[in-house]
Amino acid sequence: ENVEVQIEDQEFQLEPDNELRFEVENKNETVVLELKTGLAEIFGTEMVKGKSYTFYYGAKIAVFTWQGCMLKLRGKKGISYISKETPMMFYLNCHASLEQLRVKSEKENLRGPVTMVVGPTDVGKSTLCRILLNYSARMNSLGRRPIYVDLDPGQGHIAVPGTIGAVMIERPAEVEESFSQVAPLVYQFGRTNMSNNSTLYNTLVSRMAEVIHQRMDENPRINSSGIIINTCGWVKGKGYQHLTHIALAFEVDVILVLDQERLYNELVRDMPEFVKVVLLPKSGGVVVRNNKFRSDGREARIREYFYGTPKNVLHPHTCEIRYTDIKVYRIGAPHIPNTLMPLDMQKTDLEKKLEPVTPGPNMLHHVLALSFATSIEEDVVRTSVAGFVCVTNVDQSRQMLTLLSPQPKPLPETIYLLSEVQFMDSNS
Ligand code: ATP
């Protein structure tokens, strides 16, 4: 039973416009990919010939070639296959249109294209954003600096799940990694499910749009490069209202709709004339992820925040802090029945209310965000956050919390914002 099966290298010859698809399906499995001849790219990032790329559990990869290439896979146990049907030509055309708009904006000193990618779950929204950002970053002679905005708190691509974030893209992402991050702009939503607090979500989206527009006004290069916005897969009812709110707040010019005609038609109906709504096919390679896979993905994202990746290992600190030395708040009060609601209060006020939380066992395993605000006199809800810690132990008798933190010591005056999101740190 325990005999290691020797897996032989597999070689794949790809014709132009084909892609090789594979997944790493098992924990502890690693797959190594190499480009032998020709040219190839992974979600818009060019591969370097002869370099080994290593992929770990959960990776779902497509290696695309415009020109044709030869690839080698080592360690792949399950299925891997070549597809001749991909939507890459459509995606490249989108990039070309956006590029035309950027050139025009540059000449006329106007804001570049603000693009929103929408569609139901598992249609490749994040992947399309990545491809478009990589394509613009690859043309380094043009010096494009688009802003990537991720408004899906369920994944938290930019910071951690439970947040929305934005980051400026200067260079293509490394194949095995997410985009490198210099000073991301992050807001704490505190939950992964948007349905419980639309007021807070819309407030944060509006605030983020305001701050980004301001930064663009100050920097012509960023301004003409525009924005690419990733959204969440909730597109019906209130979810649709979130999308229209985002479009309004960010003053979106282009909406790329993946795979859903109904959503496309709704947006054509509801958006002002000048917004260009485009329907795009999804890739047959996009893998449908179940809830288990999604929650694994969330956990992996938080782990990566503290511990880094195999290529870029981080060493977080553990520190103890007295209950009395930490100020923790929660944004959004729990729902109370209408009859108990104070007369001068609206439901929407409650959803944005800053409430103090007493430290205790209820905080165990929870993620806390460190606000840039230092006093509750400030507009804490609409202030961005600097980073995160996780409560790894609660000692009631000594009234102490143990925190996992990227920094050695917690700052005394910090305001911490409690998240519903939890992380079990198996390393401590
Ligand atoms: P969500 O429902 O979370 O919003 P999404 O629509 O953003 O999902 P992605 O995250 O882009 O979807 O894609 C889902 C998964 O499919 C990812 O793991 C991605 O790497 C993989 N994937 C995307 N395109 C391909 C492809 N052409 N071949 C193989 N795998 C792919």
Side-chain angles (χ1 to χ4, degrees):
E1 234 173 52
N2 283 330
V3 182
E4 259 297 311
V5 186
Q6 196 64 42
I7 309 148
E8 297 192 356
D9 292 357
Q10 290 171 281
E11 289 198 329
F12 297 87
Q13 183 73 53
L14 271 68
E15 299 295 316
D17 296 334
N18 287 0
E19 74 183 18
L20 173 70
R21 294 172 185 162
F22 65 89
E23 291 178 48
V24 186
E25 285 144 303
N26 305 303
K27 290 212 163 123
N28 305 323
E29 183 184 349
T30 54
V31 174
V32 182
L33 171 72
E34 194 188 309
L35 173 66
K36 303 289 284 181
T37 62
L39 295 170
E41 59 183 46
I42 298 180
F43 304 135
T45 304
E46 282 178 296
M47 289 185 72
V48 177
K49 202 178 292 174
K51 183 175 164 181
S52 293
Y53 296 90
T54 309
F55 298 96
Y56 300 88
Y57 171 63
K60 300 172 186 303
I61 302 297
V63 192
F64 180 83
T65 178
W66 295 103
Q67 297 86 353
C69 71
M70 166 92 93
L71 298 166
K72 190 173 84 179
L73 268 191
R74 199 175 330 131
K76 181 73 191 88
K77 295 194 182 107
I79 184 170
S80 46
Y81 66 98
I82 294 174
S83 171
K84 296 180 189 304
E85 305 281 329
T86 81
M88 288 299 284
M89 195 43 118
F90 292 100
Y91 298 174
L92 182 66
N93 285 338
C94 282
H95 164 69
S97 310
L98 292 179
E99 206 33 57
Q100 276 176 6
L101 293 171
R102 289 184 186 118
V103 170
K104 189 164 176 283
S105 313
E106 212 167 23
K107 277 202 193 109
E108 297 170 12
N109 204 9
L110 295 170
R111 192 189 293 156
V114 180
T115 309
M116 169 162 103
V117 178
V118 302
T121 50
D122 297 319
V123 289
K125 294 181 295 299
S126 311
T127 305
L128 176 58
C129 290
R130 187 177 171 112
I131 292 171
L132 293 174
L133 291 161
N134 275 333
Y135 280 178
S136 66
R138 263 164 69 174
M139 307 196 299
N140 31 21
S141 61
L142 296 175
R144 297 285 179 240
R145 298 279 184 277
I147 294 181
Y148 176 37
V149 171
D150 182 28
L151 297 181
D152 182 359
Q155 317 245 330
H157 285 292
I158 290 177
V160 294
T163 65
I164 58 173
V167 67
M168 191 190 64
I169 306 298
E170 274 186 278
R171 62 185 74 89
E174 297 274 330
V175 165
E176 300 108 317
E177 313 258 325
S178 35
F179 286 102
S180 84
Q181 307 202 353
V182 186
L185 175 69
V186 178
Y187 291 90
Q188 168 85 334
F189 182 55
R191 18 184 98 59
T192 53
N193 187 337
M194 287 146 61
S195 58
N196 301 333
N197 200 327
S198 286
T199 313
L200 177 60
Y201 184 76
N202 287 340
T203 302
L204 297 180
V205 166
S206 297
R207 177 61 186 157
M208 178 180 272
E210 207 175 280
V211 171
I212 290 177
H213 286 162
Q214 228 169 47
R215 290 198 188 166
M216 291 173 91
D217 289 343
E218 291 158 8
N219 184 326
R221 174 148 286 179
I222 299 178
N223 196 39
S224 61
S225 299
I227 311 178
I228 306 254
I229 305 170
N230 193 8
T231 59
C232 101
W234 185 29
V235 297
K236 290 214 180 111
K238 237 203 247 171
Y240 181 75
Q241 285 168 24
H242 288 150
L243 294 182
T244 53
H245 175 81
I246 295 166
L248 200 70
F250 276 88
E251 300 172 14
V252 161
D253 308 292
V254 181
I255 304 182
L256 304 177
V257 186
L258 278 170
D259 193 48
Q260 209 185 70
E261 267 188 84
R262 179 200 146 103
L263 179 61
Y264 165 78
N265 282 304
E266 281 176 319
L267 287 165
V268 169
R269 183 192 66 202
D270 298 340
M271 286 294 120
E273 197 77 0
F274 64 85
V275 178
K276 197 162 165 43
V277 187
V278 182
L279 182 64
L280 289 172
K282 72 165 183 185
S283 166
V286 179
V287 187
V288 176
R289 293 164 296 175
N290 57 25
N291 283 343
K292 167 83 171 77
F293 196 90
R294 277 176 197 274
S295 73
D296 281 359
R298 278 199 277 274
E299 194 191 303
R301 185 69 205 105
I302 303 176
R303 183 173 313 278
E304 191 181 320
Y305 176 81
F306 291 109
Y307 291 98
T309 59
K311 261 179 83 179
N312 183 16
V313 177
L314 301 175
H315 300 282
H317 303 264
T318 301
C319 52
E320 277 201 312
I321 187 164
R322 274 194 298 266
Y323 284 4
T324 46
D325 288 344
I326 184 168
K327 292 174 283 187
V328 186
Y329 292 83
R330 174 196 292 123
I331 308 175
H335 280 270
I336 53 175
N338 281 343
T339 44
L340 295 180
M341 188 96 94
L343 276 180
D344 56 350
M345 238 195 191
Q346 302 271 321
K347 183 167 158 276
T348 51
D349 294 334
L350 277 184
E351 291 189 352
K352 287 188 290 182
K353 193 162 178 271
L354 193 64
E355 278 207 328
V357 189
T358 316
N362 54 329
M363 278 186 192
L364 186 60
H365 303 310
H366 280 264
V367 171
L368 309 176
L370 287 71
S371 176
F372 274 116
T374 49
S375 138
I376 57 161
E377 304 301 309
E378 294 169 53
D379 186 357
V380 179
V381 174
R382 290 171 6 112
T383 300
S384 59
V385 298
F388 304 86
V389 297
C390 179
V391 180
T392 52
N393 192 39
V394 180
D395 188 337
Q396 266 298 69
S397 56
R398 289 169 56 238
Q399 303 269 296
M400 296 280 248
L401 295 179
T402 308
L403 304 179
L404 179 70
S405 162
Q407 306 298 331
K409 270 245 165 303
L411 304 168
E413 70 277 22
T414 307
I415 287 182
Y416 289 82
L417 298 173
L418 179 68
S419 178
E420 279 175 14
V421 177
Q422 297 189 24
F423 172 65
M424 306 273 182
D425 184 21
S426 49
N427 297 53
S428 70

